Amino acid sequence: MSYLSQETLLLIFVGATGAAVLLQAAVLLALFLSVRKSTKAMQQQIEEVRIAVMPVLSRTKEFLDRVGPKLESVATDLAELAHGLRAQSAELEESATEIMGRVRRQASRLDTMCTGLLDTADRATRVVTEVIQLPLRQISALAASAKAVLGALRAPVRQPRHAETHSPADRDMFV
């Protein structure tokens, strides 16, 4: 085997490098074609999605254009309603507080009146009881004494009985 000359070696390296570059170019061309095919497929799918979605988006836009002012009106009405309810609830709370104060005052007044009425009725009952019982007791005492006097006057007069201190057997004994 003879030694290869530098020129031969250089030719071999240049040929190998050229073949590698050609192989790389073929791979890049295949990759480019594949990416272009994928891009076209993606563009088609995007176009199909756009065709399907655009009517929905346009209808949604039309719907929002129609409903938007109404929603704003409803939101405004709800805000006004909430403000009105807040004001009415404040008035209602104020009225309820005032009514409860009046009810408390009237209940206190009624309690005072009832207490006074019951105290007066109690005092009147005690006075009437004392006014009626005292004469009734006196009349009852007079009636009892009259009954005793009449009973004593009607009864037959009894002879006073002497209490015998001695038995009949002791008659002859003298102490």
Side-chain angles (χ1 to χ4, degrees):
M1 260 206 161
S2 69
Y3 286 96
L4 298 173
S5 69
Q6 280 190 350
E7 284 181 17
T8 311
L9 283 175
L10 189 59
L11 264 174
I12 293 174
F13 282 126
V14 168
T17 304
V21 168
L22 282 178
L23 181 63
Q24 186 177 8
V27 167
L28 283 175
L29 180 64
L31 187 62
F32 172 74
L33 293 175
S34 172
V35 167
R36 193 167 89 176
K37 184 179 176 184
S38 295
T39 303
K40 283 184 182 179
M42 285 295 279
Q43 283 178 346
Q44 272 185 336
Q45 288 178 355
I46 289 172
E47 186 64 27
E48 288 174 7
V49 168
R50 188 178 67 83
I51 289 171
V53 169
M54 284 310 285
V56 172
L57 288 176
S58 94
R59 277 186 257 137
T60 303
K61 184 181 181 292
E62 290 172 9
F63 175 75
L64 289 176
D65 288 342
R66 277 184 293 142
V67 174
K70 293 178 184 175
L71 287 176
E72 288 176 11
S73 173
V74 167
T76 303
D77 291 346
L78 284 175
E80 290 174 4
L81 179 65
H83 180 70
L85 285 175
R86 200 173 299 125
Q88 287 180 357
S89 67
E91 289 175 14
L92 181 64
E93 182 179 353
E94 183 180 324
S95 295
T97 303
E98 183 180 334
I99 289 170
M100 289 305 295
R102 288 180 183 178
V103 166
R104 283 189 190 104
R105 284 192 301 270
Q106 290 300 327
S108 175
R109 185 173 169 218
L110 184 62
D111 181 48
T112 304
M113 287 170 49
C114 287
T115 303
L117 178 66
L118 291 175
D119 288 345
T120 303
D122 188 39
R123 273 186 260 122
T125 303
R126 271 189 263 131
V127 167
V128 167
T129 302
E130 288 175 13
V131 166
I132 292 174
Q133 280 184 350
L134 182 63
L136 282 179
R137 274 190 256 140
Q138 290 174 352
I139 291 171
S140 181
L142 284 175
S145 64
K147 183 179 177 184
V149 168
L150 288 176
L153 289 176
R154 276 194 210 162
V157 179
R158 294 187 195 168
Q159 295 295 331
R161 247 178 55 177
H162 295 289
E164 292 184 21
T165 57
H166 306 291
S167 73
D170 289 340
R171 195 190 239 181
D172 294 332
M173 295 176 96
F174 180 75
V175 177

